[in-house]
Amino acid sequence: MLHKQSITPEDYREAMSRFAGHVHVVTAEFDGVKRGMTATACCSVSDAPPTVLVCINRTNPRNETFFNAGSFAINTLAIDHVPVANAFSGFADMTDEERFSVGAWDTITTGAPTLADARAVFDCRVLELKPMSTHMVVFGQVVGLRLGEHRPALIYLDRKYRDL
Ligand SMILES: Cc1cc2nc3c(=O)[nH]c(=O)nc-3n(C[C@H](O)[C@H](O)[C@H](O)COP(=O)(O)O)c2cc1C
């Protein structure tokens, strides 16, 4: 057991690796440029009106698309979406366009790319962008929903993908 009061980013990341997170791909499109990013920092805020948030690294210039688009989608992954999660995590050296050749993508309401067979899709209009240290907290109102087939969820825990 380790107790610490002086916390480094490495300590924090190690502790967060023990925190199970559902894996999603967050997407947006702006000026003809599509962007997608594997993310676990997605959270429900309210059901009335339906509101979510996602925390996006703002030190990565490629994430500007999310902050300019005015809309985004959260695509909630199932265990069979590991290739999609890998494509959008930056581990595979693929361009943004190549990433969208993995999985079947369409649109619902806002025009943000949506994954046809996701467990659930939350298509959102941006309500507010709140910079917080290295990240941008993006609040969205859910204006389109798609409920996919029930099958095991893709979870990230102890730096590995697992199903639940
Ligand atoms: C399981 C997992 C969860 C992630 N969660 C987030 C997240 O919530 N927010 C974030 O900004 N980046 C997150 N990332 C990192 C981004 O996916 C990654 O930095 C980005 O896709 C790299 O994009 P690039 O190759 O286009 O620069 C996560 C990565 C993985 C593998």
Side-chain angles (χ1 to χ4, degrees):
M1 182 94 64
L2 176 70
H3 294 271
K4 291 189 109 174
Q5 281 176 335
S6 152
I7 300 157
T8 66
E10 291 72 29
D11 297 330
Y12 174 81
R13 285 202 299 273
E14 177 56 34
M16 286 306 297
S17 75
R18 296 155 191 226
F19 185 122
H22 199 150
V23 184
H24 316 268
V25 172
V26 182
T27 55
E29 179 166 355
F30 180 66
D31 251 357
V33 176
K34 285 188 191 138
R35 173 75 174 142
M37 185 195 81
T38 301
T40 48
C42 299
C43 178
S44 170
V45 176
S46 175
D47 66 355
T51 309
V52 293
L53 67 77
V54 49
C55 302
I56 297 178
N57 189 336
R58 63 191 182 111
T59 68
N60 183 343
R62 293 167 72 174
N63 288 340
E64 285 295 317
T65 301
F66 291 115
F67 313 141
N68 294 327
S71 59
F72 65 94
I74 297 176
N75 299 276
T76 298
L77 301 189
I79 186 63
D80 49 293
H81 289 130
V82 169
V84 179
N86 283 335
F88 286 92
S89 66
F91 295 152
D93 190 18
M94 298 164 88
T95 64
D96 284 315
E97 208 54 45
E98 285 167 345
R99 294 174 195 193
F100 284 96
S101 69
V102 183
W105 296 89
D106 55 11
T107 56
I108 303 177
T109 309
T110 68
T114 48
L115 182 62
D117 64 346
R119 276 180 61 89
V121 176
F122 304 84
D123 194 16
C124 304
R125 288 208 199 293
V126 171
L127 291 169
E128 194 173 326
L129 298 171
K130 169 85 184 153
M132 185 57 64
S133 61
T134 52
H135 278 57
M136 185 75 86
V137 186
V138 183
F139 292 87
Q141 180 161 351
V142 183
V143 293
L145 260 187
R146 182 159 60 208
L147 301 178
E149 243 176 66
H150 271 287
R151 56 206 201 283
L154 181 61
I155 303 297
Y156 198 64
L157 175 66
D158 290 335
R159 301 191 172 94
K160 288 191 202 87
Y161 290 120
R162 297 160 187 273
D163 64 4
L164 179 69

